[in-house]
Amino acid sequence: MSFLRPSALYQLLITFNSLKWMPCMFFGYPNFQGIIRLVIMFLLWSTFTEMCHISSSSMSPTLRVGDRIFVEKASYFFRRPALHDIVIFRAHLNQPSFREGDMLIKRIVARAGDLIEVHDGRLYVNGLAMKEDFVTEKPKYAIHPTYVPRGHVYVLGDNRNNSCDSHIWGSLPIKNVVGRCAMRYYRRPVI
């Protein structure tokens, strides 16, 4: 059967010496090249990922207080932020009750050029009502029609009524975005 044979990628990695992965050395000390590979791997890992813990309920129920997540920093070098990405960003001067440089986490609901409004407990982007299964409860506030300027995104927390987000301080400059939530690796149990 064909699915039992090694893949072409596996064959490529095995046949080329320069592409081989460092063999695990359970007995004895790793050689100099192995230590250099581990150091390089650690530096790349620490440069493009970060581990964070959630300290507020603004993203509840998607992310609870005490959850731990991996933040992936590299993808926005190659693509624009997408709708519904959960992003981590630095606070800027327009945001009340935060110091400049504080890290926050919210969900992107609109990008540059989009018209956003909230009324009757629904979010509308470019005149279309958004279906949002991840929201705790319908927003009790209203946002008059607002265009998201170039180089900005509009972010809201999933716990809309208990989140200090773009409905209070306006759109977020993309330059403040650090990365996106890649995965949750620890879920705090509900007590």
Side-chain angles (χ1 to χ4, degrees):
M1 296 185 170
S2 64
F3 64 87
L4 294 177
R5 280 188 253 143
S7 68
L9 179 61
Y10 177 77
Q11 291 296 329
L12 179 75
L13 291 175
I14 294 300
T15 55
F16 289 106
N17 285 333
S18 62
L19 297 176
K20 283 186 180 177
W21 185 253
M22 181 186 81
C24 295
M25 297 186 157
F26 295 105
F27 307 105
Y29 296 101
N31 59 11
F32 181 72
Q33 286 181 345
I35 291 171
I36 295 298
R37 287 179 185 171
L38 286 175
V39 168
I40 290 171
M41 197 169 75
F42 173 76
L43 290 174
L44 287 174
W45 175 262
S46 63
T47 302
F48 296 120
T49 62
E50 186 175 327
M51 294 184 289
C52 295
H53 110 282
I54 306 302
S55 59
S56 76
S57 63
S58 68
M59 287 299 293
S60 177
T62 307
L63 298 170
R64 298 191 292 238
V65 175
D67 286 356
R68 289 177 171 68
I69 60 170
F70 279 117
V71 177
E72 177 269 317
K73 301 178 187 178
S75 66
Y76 292 146
F77 291 122
F78 306 109
R79 68 175 181 91
R80 296 181 345 191
L83 290 178
H84 303 298
D85 278 358
I86 298 175
V87 294
I88 288 73
F89 57 93
R90 283 184 219 86
H92 57 85
L93 293 176
N94 296 345
Q95 298 165 327
S97 72
F98 296 111
R99 293 185 311 249
E100 187 171 5
D102 283 351
M103 300 298 275
L104 305 172
I105 183 167
K106 306 289 180 217
R107 186 183 298 270
I108 295 177
V109 295
R111 295 184 296 188
D114 288 341
L115 176 69
I116 187 163
E117 60 184 312
V118 173
H119 58 81
D120 301 326
R122 300 285 308 253
L123 169 69
Y124 294 87
V125 178
N126 297 325
L128 300 172
M130 297 288 106
K131 182 179 180 194
E132 300 177 306
D133 300 335
F134 44 80
V135 176
T136 304
E137 60 184 356
K138 294 180 180 181
K140 296 177 183 171
Y141 54 83
I143 300 174
H144 300 293
T146 307
Y147 278 102
V148 180
R150 174 178 283 174
H152 289 71
V153 290
Y154 206 86
V155 293
L156 296 174
D158 289 354
N159 191 357
R160 298 282 159 87
N161 296 315
N162 296 316
S163 178
C164 184
D165 50 30
S166 287
H167 87 275
I168 295 173
W169 37 259
S171 56
L172 172 74
I174 290 179
K175 67 180 181 180
N176 288 25
V177 174
V178 173
R180 69 180 180 89
C181 175
M183 67 176 276
R184 179 183 59 233
Y185 68 91
Y186 173 76
R187 180 75 166 182
R188 183 171 179 230
V190 178
I191 299 174

